[in-house]
Amino acid sequence: LTLDMLKLHLLRVRNALVRECMAEFLGTFVLLLFGCAAAAQVKTSRETKGQFLSVNMSFSVGVMSAMYLTKGITGAHLNPAVTLSFCVLGQVPWSRLAPYSLSQLLGAYVASGLVYLIYYDAIMEFSGGVLTVIGPNETASIFATYPTEHLTLGRSFLDQVVGTGMLLLCILCLGEKRNTPAPPGLIPPIVAAIVLGISVSMSGNCGGAINPARDLGPRLFTLTAGWGTEVFTCYNYWFWVPILAPLVGGVLGSCVYLVFIHWQLPDPDPADDFFVLSTISDKIKQPSTKWESEAELKSAHL
């Protein structure tokens, strides 16, 4: 064995779930590092080094980068609302929901900590050394999302339900072979464009989290880094909205996709089904023939 082969043999994680959790952790870490770093730059420079659009674009670039990075391992969920929706749709086992969500949460937390270290001096200079959640020199919004003062609790909940519902509605069609599927290599930038569209149109009310891990991970970090319990108690304990509402919105968006699109598409071409069945039959009749891929083997069991 060569040295490189030996390293690969020793360092490759054997447990599939652990590998998937590592991917979800790193992907969410990359997503939040891009987004929160941009928010820190815009906030601490008092919008002299970027504007609100800069943050939206950075989160979108983070989505695209994270998807290219992890899509081959888990499909790049990066969001508990996405994982929950895929579980409801039967595309992901329910046993993956908790491990994926915790990995995403941890990735968001660690990314927030790194952004804090990178921008520590700027944050302290901007805030005068006082870490606050509300006020002209607040810095908590660099990390987690917060509502505008005029927004009601019910309206903010609706805001997050609609935003996350649009996310799932628009991404579920990308792999639909009976519709107009996107080329696999272009799915990450397409999803990034969808996220950007949602951000620039539906983030003015309460930051457009549309991702429980994206909000709760940084919020937990600010709790432990000196902002205190006010990150959870401010705005009449608003913190639960960007956690629960995206979960509801993701499932609703998935259901809308099923009812209005997926179940209404033309049935598969019988000729295609005959070809697939014939191919599988030929494989079964020839035991010595090796399956070309794991995906082909799985399709034979269906």
Side-chain angles (χ1 to χ4, degrees):
L1 291 177
T2 65
L3 183 59
D4 288 340
M5 292 176 64
L6 183 61
K7 288 180 179 178
L8 179 63
H9 179 74
L10 293 176
L11 296 179
R12 178 174 172 81
V13 176
R14 300 297 176 184
N15 187 286
L17 178 59
V18 174
R19 291 199 302 267
E20 293 163 13
C21 288
M22 290 170 61
E24 286 299 314
F25 166 84
L26 186 60
T28 312
F29 171 86
V30 169
L31 166 60
L32 267 293
L33 187 64
F34 271 103
C36 289
Q41 178 172 303
V42 172
K43 169 72 77 171
T44 59
S45 69
R46 301 184 188 275
E47 298 192 359
T48 60
K49 298 179 180 178
Q51 297 176 329
F52 186 63
L53 181 60
S54 306
V55 182
N56 295 330
M57 294 180 66
S58 293
F59 269 110
S60 300
V61 171
V63 168
M64 180 180 67
S65 303
M67 288 192 69
Y68 274 124
L69 187 65
T70 64
K71 194 173 183 296
I73 301 178
T74 62
H77 295 190
L78 314 174
N79 183 341
V82 172
T83 303
L84 174 62
S85 298
F86 284 179
C87 288
V88 171
L89 294 173
Q91 297 182 13
V92 174
W94 282 97
S95 60
R96 286 326 198 232
L97 177 58
Y100 279 22
S101 298
L102 290 174
S103 300
Q104 294 154 2
L105 184 65
L106 183 60
Y109 182 96
V110 174
S112 301
L114 183 55
V115 169
Y116 180 67
L117 290 177
I118 294 172
Y119 280 97
Y120 177 82
D121 294 333
I123 290 173
M124 290 303 166
E125 190 278 332
F126 177 86
S127 64
V130 181
L131 302 178
T132 57
V133 179
I134 299 175
N137 293 325
E138 64 82 16
T139 48
S141 63
I142 289 174
F143 302 96
T145 62
Y146 294 89
T148 54
E149 294 184 2
H150 65 269
L151 194 65
T152 64
L153 196 62
R155 208 81 66 193
S156 62
F157 191 91
L158 177 63
D159 175 275
Q160 288 298 287
V161 167
V162 173
T164 316
M166 285 294 295
L167 174 66
L168 268 296
L169 176 63
C170 293
I171 67 175
L172 285 174
C173 63
L174 298 179
E176 180 60 72
K177 297 190 183 332
R178 293 180 296 157
N179 201 340
T180 50
L186 291 181
I187 288 180
I190 293 173
V191 174
I194 293 170
V195 171
L196 179 60
I198 294 172
S199 299
V200 299
S201 61
M202 286 179 276
S203 61
N205 281 335
C206 45
I210 63 173
N211 183 339
R214 174 264 174 274
D215 188 86
L216 182 58
R219 196 178 300 275
L220 288 171
F221 170 76
T222 53
L223 172 69
T224 57
W227 278 265
T229 57
E230 192 176 7
V231 299
F232 283 96
T233 61
C234 67
Y235 298 104
N236 194 26
Y237 294 88
W238 181 84
F239 77 92
W240 63 270
V241 172
I243 298 174
L244 180 59
L247 298 175
V248 174
V251 173
L252 287 178
S254 301
C255 292
V256 170
Y257 173 75
L258 288 178
V259 173
F260 283 82
I261 302 296
H262 184 73
W263 292 338
Q264 313 309 326
L265 288 169
D267 293 333
D269 188 345
D272 293 340
D273 289 345
F274 177 77
F275 174 77
V276 172
L277 291 174
S278 299
T279 303
I280 294 172
S281 177
D282 291 341
K283 293 288 186 179
I284 294 174
K285 292 176 182 178
Q286 302 175 26
S288 60
T289 304
K290 294 183 179 180
W291 294 93
E292 296 177 0
S293 67
E294 183 181 357
E296 186 180 1
L297 178 60
K298 289 180 179 178
S299 67
H301 291 301
L302 296 179

